[in-house]
Amino acid sequence: LYKKIKRWIKENKQSIMDIFEKHRNKPYPKHVAFIMDGNGRWAKELEQERSYGHMMGAVHLVEIITDCFRNGTQFLTFFVFAEQNWKRPPEEIKRIFEILYKKIKILDMEIDYCNFRILVQGRLDRVPKKLRTILERVQEKTKDKEKTVIIALDYSGRQEIIRACKRIMASKSDITQDTMQNHMYVKNIPDPDLIIRTGGEKRISDFLLWQLCNSELYFTDVYWPDFDIVEFKKAIADYQSRERRYGNISRC
Ligand code: IPE
Ligand code: MG
């Protein structure tokens, strides 16, 4: 395997360096959101249980988060569990929550070294109590940090919009872009500049429906557990090569 990796780096070195060089001076997106897909298929290819894929899906997180925060990104959102995922077998759901719990537990134990705040976007009332408690605790402990990692958990974009509408109506305010913005699960977060979906599917699947208004979308066939820093840099380079117009005319 070591030889294989060495050969791969040798063969791809130029293109990796090109990507790094070409976009070296361009800014990273301020907010990147991830639809982390392909864990199950990745595990299946290795003749492993699906949950092995969920577990291995966490291995590149640290390098991606570190790289982002070092290069100017302020907000990261990870779609950890969709409301639609409740349709999965209970055993798999249990494992996903266990894996998340373990990761958060490590973070909680090393909280002094954590340089970002954790925010949950979604519902905490239906997840296991143990997970809810620890997430509430780390949210509280990290609330003054400058950078932000958002965990979309038991999340549905449609439900978020419905919930916002109901709350605005209850407060007898007008439904406007501003009031909607102020009634989302997490407040004062700029919309994602870039949404990355791994695993080959080209759809949004109820993710950030309100917030994706002007987001750039990047789709890759790479399964989430294989989505490492090199793959991430490719996504960033692709984003940096795009011209964002927000409905205006082209500058070219
Ligand atoms: C995404 O991977 C992880 C979660 C939804 C928690 P999948 O579990 O959807 O993997 P595939 O799509 O079946 O390969
Ligand atoms: Mg999937």
Side-chain angles (χ1 to χ4, degrees):
L1 182 69
Y2 178 65
K3 272 191 189 149
K4 227 173 114 183
I5 294 170
K6 245 179 117 175
R7 199 172 61 235
W8 186 88
I9 293 176
K10 209 173 151 199
E11 282 165 6
N12 290 280
K13 198 169 168 200
Q14 201 45 51
S15 65
I16 296 167
M17 294 313 286
D18 285 351
I19 291 169
F20 286 1
E21 281 308 311
K22 203 164 141 212
H23 300 286
R24 213 211 306 237
N25 297 318
K26 294 201 177 159
Y28 263 42
K30 196 168 176 192
H31 182 175
V32 188
F34 297 87
I35 302 176
M36 309 178 288
D37 199 15
N39 295 352
R41 281 164 286 161
W42 182 86
K44 198 174 170 201
E45 279 185 11
L46 295 173
E47 294 175 22
Q48 298 282 341
E49 303 253 323
R50 294 177 55 82
S51 55
Y52 181 64
H54 298 317
M55 199 172 76
M56 297 307 280
V59 295
H60 299 299
L61 277 179
V62 173
E63 61 188 22
I64 291 176
I65 294 175
T66 309
D67 182 65
C68 280
F69 289 159
R70 225 181 247 161
N71 287 290
T73 297
Q74 301 277 340
F75 303 89
L76 291 169
T77 300
F78 296 95
F79 201 1
V80 173
F81 189 83
E83 186 185 84
Q84 296 179 343
N85 291 146
W86 287 112
K87 291 188 204 109
R88 296 185 177 210
E91 199 45 45
E92 180 174 340
I93 295 174
K94 203 173 138 219
R95 287 291 293 134
I96 292 172
F97 291 148
E98 272 169 15
I99 293 163
L100 178 61
Y101 176 80
K102 279 192 187 137
K103 297 293 156 199
I104 300 295
K105 176 107 186 137
I106 295 170
L107 193 92
D108 189 29
M109 288 188 311
E110 294 173 358
I111 207 91
D112 293 342
Y113 305 101
C114 176
N115 63 352
F116 50 82
R117 78 181 151 148
I118 295 278
L119 285 181
V120 175
Q121 180 172 23
R123 292 180 60 166
L124 276 177
D125 57 308
R126 300 190 290 193
V127 303
K129 189 160 178 288
K130 214 167 83 163
L131 180 59
R132 176 164 71 241
T133 310
I134 199 162
L135 280 169
E136 281 166 354
R137 190 162 70 232
V138 295
Q139 285 192 101
E140 178 56 32
K141 280 189 193 170
T142 59
K143 68 177 193 302
D144 296 324
K145 305 282 179 183
E146 188 203 339
K147 311 276 195 317
T148 307
V149 169
I150 298 167
I151 299 175
L153 184 65
D154 193 0
Y155 176 81
S156 153
R158 281 192 171 181
Q159 290 302 347
E160 184 177 39
I161 292 170
I162 292 170
R163 177 180 169 274
C165 292
K166 281 186 177 163
R167 289 181 177 211
I168 298 167
M169 282 163 74
S171 70
K172 301 206 164 35
S173 309
D174 209 5
I175 295 190
T176 65
Q177 297 222 9
D178 281 343
T179 55
M180 285 294 285
Q181 211 84 43
N182 290 334
H183 285 83
M184 292 289 142
Y185 284 117
V186 287
K187 319 261 180 305
N188 302 321
I189 306 292
D191 291 340
D193 303 288
L194 171 65
I195 298 178
I196 296 173
R197 181 173 188 146
T198 62
E201 316 286 4
K202 294 182 181 62
R203 52 176 171 258
I204 288 299
S205 306
D206 205 12
F207 189 48
L208 305 180
L209 297 185
W210 173 266
Q211 297 86 342
L212 58 68
C213 178
N214 288 307
S215 303
E216 297 294 330
L217 307 179
Y218 178 87
F219 298 99
T220 169
D221 288 338
V222 174
Y223 296 143
W224 177 252
D226 284 334
F227 191 81
D228 57 11
I229 192 69
V230 174
E231 289 301 330
F232 179 65
K233 292 271 190 192
K234 283 188 202 168
I236 294 292
D238 188 283
Y239 168 85
Q240 287 168 331
S241 72
R242 301 183 195 187
E243 186 201 3
R244 302 187 75 195
R245 292 197 288 273
Y246 304 94
N248 209 333
I249 55 170
S250 171
R251 278 181 275 117
C252 304

